[in-house]
Amino acid sequence: MPRHQLRDCKFAIEAGDTIFAPRMKALLLRAVVLARRHRTLADATRRAWRRRLDHDLDAVMALAPINHHGRRLRRRYGKVRDHLFTFLDHPDIAADNNGSERELRPTATYRKVTGGFRSNWGADFFANVRSVVGTAARHGLDAYTAIKNAVTGASLPIAPLPG
């Protein structure tokens, strides 16, 4: 579970929501505990936890917060509710987006240091190179080989990602 979800619940609580955000935060904290060990759980156990969390989420979503921040948070979770506990359906995926955020960090640093790109094609080129190099690194390939293969159109000798 991404930390920003817990942070947003905490903000709504501090801003006065006593109905929705505290219960949503408690539910997310339970999911965080499960996320730490979701890959070691048996399939039946993961399915049972998914059903239980979905049932509890139904109860939390049925609440009607009166605070603006609680209503905003409830509306946002209503849009993404089917994806909150996906890690229990698919143990091979991470329960958080930390890997994606780590991939974006060099781009944000570059933008801050240089003041950004001077052209759209430069930004697109940088994004494409970062994507190729990042994907190759996750598969154990060096940057030179990945870029050479991308430029020449050669297929990448990529092994499956570790689970």
Side-chain angles (χ1 to χ4, degrees):
M1 308 287 330
R3 289 185 206 113
H4 72 272
Q5 293 180 15
L6 292 170
R7 184 186 63 232
D8 291 348
C9 285
K10 180 180 178 189
F11 172 79
I13 292 167
E14 291 172 355
D17 178 35
T18 59
I19 297 173
F20 180 80
R23 288 165 185 84
M24 189 66 193
K25 182 180 176 186
L27 180 63
L28 290 173
L29 285 171
R30 284 184 24 223
V32 166
V33 170
L34 280 171
R36 290 185 184 139
R37 58 189 183 107
H38 79 283
R39 288 190 169 119
T40 62
L41 297 174
D43 288 343
T45 305
R46 275 196 322 278
R47 284 192 301 273
W49 273 109
R50 173 66 191 237
R51 283 191 304 275
R52 187 177 304 164
L53 289 174
D54 282 338
H55 180 296
D56 293 346
L57 180 60
D58 289 341
V60 172
M61 293 302 291
L63 298 171
I66 55 175
N67 178 283
H68 166 71
H69 297 287
R71 288 193 309 267
R72 179 188 55 80
L73 204 58
R74 184 182 178 282
R75 197 170 34 252
R76 186 178 73 181
Y77 282 116
K79 292 177 184 175
V80 299
R81 67 175 295 151
D82 293 337
H83 307 289
L84 283 176
F85 309 122
T86 303
F87 65 93
L88 290 170
D89 296 330
H90 307 283
D92 51 323
I93 64 169
D96 58 28
N97 64 348
N98 292 342
S100 299
E101 290 182 4
R102 276 192 296 277
E103 282 292 320
L104 291 173
R105 193 171 297 129
T107 304
T109 302
Y110 179 85
R111 181 180 42 82
K112 288 178 184 178
V113 169
T114 65
F117 295 95
R118 295 183 181 158
S119 65
N120 286 338
W121 75 265
D124 292 340
F125 179 76
F126 183 84
N128 289 335
V129 170
R130 286 287 312 149
S131 176
V132 167
V133 171
T135 301
R138 285 192 302 278
H139 290 285
L141 292 175
D142 63 288
Y144 174 77
T145 303
I147 292 170
K148 184 176 90 175
N149 288 346
V151 170
T152 62
S155 62
L156 297 175
I158 295 179
L161 287 173

